[in-house]
Amino acid sequence: MKINRRSFLKSAGVLAAGTASAPAAAAEAAAEPTPRWAMLIDLRKCIGCQACTVSCIHENAVPEDSYRTVVTTYEVASEGRVDAYMLPRLCNHCANPPCVPVCPVGATWAEPGGAVLVDNERCVGCGYCVQACPYDARFINHETQTADKCTFCLHRVEAGLLPACVESCVGGARIFGDLNEPDGDLRRAMDEAESLKVLRPEQGTAPHVFYIGLEPEFAGDVDAEPVLWDARAERR
């Protein structure tokens, strides 16, 4: 096969252009900001229906008597009136997760996007991370004998879907998104909120589950018994 000078220079030019574009594409990909996943829960909209709990169980094959997310309900008596108080709980996917450094085999870690995960093939089920979590958000899965917890449904998020608990919330109490996306639903809702609170702020874990309408007496250890089933009591 003969290649004349003109054809060679033309093909060489195309090759050079393709080579030059590769670093540019790599630089563009590197410049994309890493998302910081978080959840906002508006307690004014939660009705305690447990749709989030049930959808999480089905989506993640959570074993019986265990929960990755749950809504604990309390009765609050004040001035002769009794009201129900709903408190949804899940892993807070902390920026400073205390569960990570206590793991003796490195089975738990934080993803670049902030989701804290567990490698069930590496986990030895020692329970150190369960004890270290100030939010009572971890448990030992009695089927796998390894640590289990909410993952923000990262498998769904990476497919462009919402976490199961968010998608199933009938009151629209849960909003999930990227904190680094200024025009996203999460960022807008947080910017518009009058007051945002987190659970156990004194722990310094920098949790990334935020609440609207969280009463101070429910932000820490609650000195009360829930009126409905409680995941913590079920696991003891």
Side-chain angles (χ1 to χ4, degrees), residues 187-204:
R187 186 77 265 176
R188 288 202 307 269
M190 293 180 67
D191 290 342
E192 293 171 1
E194 293 183 4
S195 177
L196 292 175
K197 292 185 174 65
V198 296
L199 297 177
R200 308 297 298 273
E202 76 283 355
Q203 295 291 321

Side-chain angles (χ1 to χ4, degrees), residues 115-140:
V116 179
L117 304 179
V118 178
D119 184 345
N120 296 113
E121 294 186 358
R122 180 176 294 184
C123 177
V124 295
C126 65
Y128 290 167
C129 63
V130 176
Q131 297 300 319
C133 176
Y135 307 104
D136 196 29
R138 287 175 172 248
F139 60 95
I140 297 299

Side-chain angles (χ1 to χ4, degrees), residues 41-47 173 193-194 212-213:
I41 301 177
D42 190 341
L43 298 179
R44 302 169 300 179
K45 298 180 179 180
C46 178
I47 60 174
E194 293 183 4
I212 296 175

Side-chain angles (χ1 to χ4, degrees), residues 127-197:
Y128 290 167
C129 63
V130 176
Q131 297 300 319
C133 176
Y135 307 104
D136 196 29
R138 287 175 172 248
F139 60 95
I140 297 299
N141 185 313
H142 58 75
E143 292 182 355
T144 64
Q145 295 302 310
T146 58
D148 204 333
K149 59 177 286 299
C150 160
T151 63
F152 268 166
C153 278
L154 202 59
H155 63 289
R156 290 176 58 91
V157 173
E158 290 175 345
L161 303 173
L162 290 171
C165 64
V166 177
E167 190 173 83
S168 64
C169 181
V170 297
R174 298 189 181 211
I175 301 176
F176 178 84
D178 178 8
L179 282 176
N180 295 331
E181 186 180 352
D183 297 326
D185 292 341
L186 174 67
R187 186 77 265 176
R188 288 202 307 269
M190 293 180 67
D191 290 342
E192 293 171 1
E194 293 183 4
S195 177
L196 292 175
K197 292 185 174 65

Side-chain angles (χ1 to χ4, degrees):
M1 177 179 179
K2 294 183 179 180
I3 302 177
N4 59 37
R5 184 173 182 271
R6 179 177 295 178
S7 299
F8 173 78
L9 291 175
K10 183 178 180 180
S11 60
V14 172
L15 178 61
T19 305
S21 65
E28 183 179 346
E32 285 188 21
T34 300
R36 205 325 169 180
W37 304 118
M39 186 179 294
L40 175 64
I41 301 177
D42 190 341
L43 298 179
R44 302 169 300 179
K45 298 180 179 180
C46 178
I47 60 174
C49 67
Q50 304 293 351
C52 54
T53 305
V54 174
S55 63
C56 174
I57 289 172
H58 285 288
E59 177 68 30
N60 298 291
V62 180
E64 187 177 356
D65 295 336
S66 297
Y67 312 94
R68 290 186 175 189
T69 186
V70 67
V71 181
T72 306
T73 306
Y74 300 95
E75 286 183 349
V76 180
S78 177
E79 300 178 355
R81 174 178 171 176
V82 178
D83 294 312
Y85 189 86
M86 316 298 175
L87 186 58
R89 293 177 176 272
L90 64 155
C91 172
N92 281 246
H93 298 277
C94 310
N96 301 313
C99 54
V100 171
V102 300
C103 180
V105 294
T108 188
W109 75 98
E111 286 281 288
V116 179
L117 304 179
V118 178
D119 184 345
N120 296 113
E121 294 186 358
R122 180 176 294 184
C123 177
V124 295
C126 65
Y128 290 167
C129 63
V130 176
Q131 297 300 319
C133 176
Y135 307 104
D136 196 29
R138 287 175 172 248
F139 60 95
I140 297 299
N141 185 313
H142 58 75
E143 292 182 355
T144 64
Q145 295 302 310
T146 58
D148 204 333
K149 59 177 286 299
C150 160
T151 63
F152 268 166
C153 278
L154 202 59
H155 63 289
R156 290 176 58 91
V157 173
E158 290 175 345
L161 303 173
L162 290 171
C165 64
V166 177
E167 190 173 83
S168 64
C169 181
V170 297
R174 298 189 181 211
I175 301 176
F176 178 84
D178 178 8
L179 282 176
N180 295 331
E181 186 180 352
D183 297 326
D185 292 341
L186 174 67
R187 186 77 265 176
R188 288 202 307 269
M190 293 180 67
D191 290 342
E192 293 171 1
E194 293 183 4
S195 177
L196 292 175
K197 292 185 174 65
V198 296
L199 297 177
R200 308 297 298 273
E202 76 283 355
Q203 295 291 321
T205 61
H208 277 67
V209 173
F210 302 91
Y211 292 85
I212 296 175
L214 178 65
E215 298 295 334
E217 57 267 33
F218 289 93
D221 288 328
V222 182
D223 186 18
E225 288 295 325
V227 297
L228 295 179
W229 50 278
D230 179 20
R232 293 172 300 173
E234 296 265 359
R235 293 205 300 271
R236 292 189 183 118

